Every structure is written in structure tokens, then in C-alpha cells.
Amino acid sequence: MEIRRYSASDTRSAMRLVRAEMGSDAVILSTKPIAGGVELVTASDYDPDLLASVHPEKSEATSDHGARDESAASDIATDEVQRELSATVRDLRVLLEREARRQPGTAPGTRNPQAAAFTSQLTELGFGAAAIRRLLPHVPSTDGFMLTTEPLTAALASLLGNDSLPGLDDGGVFAAVGPTGVGKTTTIAKLAVRLAMRHSTEDIALVSTDSSRLGAHHQLGSLGRLLAIPVFELDEASDLTEIAHIATERPWVLVDTAGSGDTAARAQQLARIVERSGRPLSLLLTLAANAQPDFLTAVMKRHRQALTPSIVLTKLDECPLAGPAVGRLIEAALPLVCASTGPAIPEDLVLGPDSLALVAHAALQPLPTARQSTDTARIDREVQHECA
């Protein structure tokens, strides 16, 4: 068996060298990024018993600890090679796709291959350039050329926080603010049920200030009767000051606000009122993942100018592509404390670190299109041809 190393500026060039010098029967043992490109380790007349020549450090460890059983070593070597080859084919498929889509005029090898692969992957998933620049330095060291849920979750934790909703276990005033139709009332209902399961309902109050939307008061009223929690219906134009009085009597006060008009100014007014009670206020800026990215950015910018709210990301189950929304959250650098995957109360509300994992998983799901399926099949055929 003959083993060779080939390095080139990109994978396509390396594959051409392998095929030209070793023929179409060559086996790729490993691939890794190096300075200036990639390196392939290949073999002709492949013999699993000679795997140690590719991994000399394993040979030294073997000699130090004595000879092993030959059949067992062969089985282990074969399994390792099969796993390595599977990972190699997957990485090669990704690299071939990246190279095929590289913009004209960009010199191959001028970027770190893994960072370039992540950048291309995130771009296809809808992340903006600014979000990618902020995100990549926080991705922990990982193998391969595909960004997966675990390292993306770790990066989001560094950028968006890693805590559950502040004060949820200790008490405070929690107000859902934001545009209409994003799930503010449902979010308040889910939090109310969570608190009712942990604490006495006598310590909880629901406040509805949405007098502009037909039936808004009745939604919380029905929930309050079901849970035996008092519901206060306030007119936001005149008696919001009543919230300060309610907050002095109940440890947990959950406020549902109207989504029409200037929600940022209303949130600032609410904050001033709650300050009079001496209670902490958690503003939950509720955003729908399926909203237009520019609209999300505008909403976050308006609310951040007045206060620093926490983000509740809803409607992940209705979002065909979550990458654009997650990218705008990264750019805004506001803490993400909750995520919602549906209307079920309270099951579909995820808090804290679990919400980051949920959002990371959703963000890495590509948009299922016929063109994408065709491209994937084409790339698979190309890799099979290159490895044949």
C-alpha cells in the first residue's frame, strides 16, 4: 500500500492531483485545512493493517504498551477508517459546494477554509454579514466544515446571554411589549401557568392594558378564572398608575400590553410607573421569528433607545427559515430569555439555556426547496465521481 499527502489551494485542485498521480482507485484517508489551503492523505492498494503509518502517534503508543492481538487491531483500524472516510466524504461534499459557489474574483485559499465554510453555510441560512462577523469568533473549536447545534448554542450563549428570565423565581413585574400579533398575550398566559404550578395563585396578578383590541381582556380573564388568579383590566390611556399599587400587593405581576401605537414610548411610561412601587421590572420585547428582518431590527432599535429589554422569540414553528431573525438578534445584542414553538400552554415556552439550543437548532434548518434538493443530489454525484 502506498500512502501520499497532497496539499493544494483548494479541494478541487487536490482531488485533481490525486487522480492524476494515483488513479481513480485511490482512497482518501483524511482531509484537513492547512495554511494556504487543504491537505489530503490518500492511499493506493489500501490495506487497513497499515493504518498506523497514517497515525504514527498511535504506533508509538502501541509499541510502548506491547503488541496487541492482530485481529482485534485490524477490526479497530477498519472501524476507524470507515468513520474517518464517512466524515471525509461529508466534508468534501461541503467544500465542493463552497468552492462551486465562491464569488468570482475571490482567490482560493485566502480565507481560513473552515471559517469560509461556516460563512457560506450561515449566509445560505439567512444570516447577515454583520451577524456572521460577530458570531464566528465565539464559535468554539470544532471539527469538520459544517456548523452544528452545539457550537452555535455556545456562541449564542456568549452573545445573547445564558440565563433564564431574571426574577421569575423571586418575583417582580413582567410586561410583554412589542408589535401586535406576535404572541404577547399567549406568552403572559404561559408564564402565568408556570408560576401557578410553582407558587400560590394568591401571589400572582394578571393585568391587561390592551383596551384597543376586541376581546383582548377576555383572553386573560378566561385564564384568570381557570387558575383562580385575579385579572385587572386597565385603560392604558388613563389608569396605568394602578399597576404600581398592584405590584405592592402581589409578588408576581404579569402585564399584557397593547401592540398598536408607539409601543416603545408605552414601555418607557410603564417603567416609570413601576419604579414608584420599588419593584423590579422585566420588559419582555416579544418578537415573531417569521417577521421581516428589517422590521425586527427597527423594533429592537426603537425599544433599545428607551430601555434594555429582554427578547422573547415566538412563532418558531411558523418560521420556514429562522436564520434571518436569529442574525438580527445577534446584531442587536439583546439578551434572549425565552423562545416559543407553538400555542400550547405552558409546554411550548422554553426558558434560559434551553431556549438558546432551540433557537440554534431552528436557525440551522435550511429552507426545503426543490432547487436545494437538486443541488444536494448534484454535489453528492460529484463527490462520488471524484472519489471513484
Side-chain angles (χ1 to χ4, degrees):
M1 180 176 72
E2 181 182 7
I3 296 178
R4 295 186 184 181
R5 295 179 184 269
Y6 291 90
S7 59
S9 58
D10 56 79
T11 304
R12 288 184 180 274
S13 300
M15 294 291 291
R16 284 196 292 269
L17 289 174
V18 172
R19 191 163 51 185
E21 296 188 12
M22 303 189 72
S24 60
D25 294 330
V27 174
I28 299 175
L29 298 179
S30 69
T31 178
K32 67 176 181 179
I34 60 174
V38 296
E39 179 185 84
L40 303 183
V41 178
T42 62
S44 60
D45 299 326
Y46 174 68
D47 182 356
D49 293 334
L50 296 180
L51 179 68
S53 63
V54 183
H55 300 287
E57 68 279 2
K58 294 184 178 180
S59 299
E60 295 175 4
T62 301
S63 61
D64 292 340
H65 293 85
R68 297 179 179 178
D69 179 79
E70 293 184 0
S71 61
S74 178
D75 291 341
I76 294 173
T78 301
D79 291 341
E80 289 181 355
V81 169
Q82 289 176 346
R83 287 194 297 270
E84 188 171 358
L85 288 178
S86 297
T88 297
V89 170
R90 183 182 66 249
D91 289 346
L92 283 175
R93 180 177 68 81
V94 176
L95 282 176
L96 286 172
E97 182 179 5
R98 305 306 180 225
E99 291 294 331
R101 297 185 180 186
R102 186 185 294 274
Q103 295 181 356
T106 301
T110 57
R111 298 178 295 173
N112 177 279
Q114 188 181 62
F118 288 172
T119 298
S120 181
Q121 178 189 2
L122 292 170
T123 300
E124 292 169 11
L125 292 171
F127 286 76
I132 294 174
R133 285 194 298 269
R134 287 180 55 86
L135 180 67
L136 288 183
H138 296 276
V139 176
S141 178
T142 180
D143 295 329
F145 294 87
M146 289 289 289
L147 186 59
T148 57
T149 299
E150 186 174 350
L152 180 56
T153 301
L156 292 179
S158 299
L159 294 168
L160 306 181
N162 198 31
D163 297 327
S164 296
L165 184 57
L168 187 62
D169 293 327
D170 302 325
V173 180
F174 303 86
V177 299
T180 186
V182 295
K184 296 188 300 297
T185 303
T186 304
T187 298
I188 289 296
K190 291 174 180 178
L191 289 174
V193 175
R194 292 281 183 96
L195 290 173
M197 295 170 63
R198 299 179 184 178
H199 308 282
S200 171
T201 56
E202 296 179 355
D203 294 331
I204 306 169
L206 293 173
V207 178
S208 175
T209 68
D210 190 356
S211 58
S212 60
R213 186 165 58 92
L214 184 64
H217 286 325
H218 297 295
Q219 294 181 33
L220 283 186
S222 298
L223 179 68
R225 287 190 296 271
L226 181 63
L227 299 177
I229 295 176
V231 178
F232 299 86
E233 300 176 0
L234 305 181
D235 182 357
E236 62 180 1
S238 59
D239 55 5
L240 279 183
T241 54
E242 181 66 17
I243 295 178
H245 175 69
I246 298 171
T248 60
E249 296 184 343
R250 303 272 176 164
W252 286 273
V253 179
L254 306 179
V255 183
D256 181 27
T257 66
S260 57
D262 191 346
T263 58
R266 190 179 304 114
Q268 194 170 24
Q269 179 188 9
L270 182 61
R272 290 195 298 266
I273 292 172
V274 173
E275 284 180 0
R276 301 173 189 171
S277 68
R279 301 295 305 284
L281 172 66
S282 295
L283 281 174
L284 307 179
L285 179 55
T286 309
L287 301 173
N290 57 359
Q292 289 291 332
D294 288 344
F295 175 73
L296 294 177
T297 297
V299 171
M300 288 186 286
K301 182 178 180 180
R302 286 198 300 268
H303 286 78
R304 188 168 189 174
Q305 287 175 345
L307 302 157
T308 304
S310 299
I311 300 297
V312 178
L313 190 63
T314 65
K315 300 184 184 291
L316 282 171
D317 56 318
E318 302 178 20
C319 182
L321 194 66
V326 178
R328 295 307 174 94
L329 293 184
I330 292 172
E331 294 174 21
L334 290 173
L336 176 70
V337 294
C338 304
S340 175
T341 58
I345 298 175
E347 294 83 4
D348 290 339
L349 186 68
V350 183
L351 304 175
D354 290 339
S355 67
L356 293 175
L358 176 67
V359 168
H361 176 75
L364 292 177
Q365 302 308 305
L367 185 65
T369 62
R371 176 180 178 183
Q372 186 179 60
S373 300
T374 302
D375 289 345
T376 301
R378 173 182 56 78
I379 294 167
D380 286 338
R381 289 195 299 271
E382 289 181 4
V383 172
Q384 291 174 6
H385 175 72
E386 293 285 347
C387 295

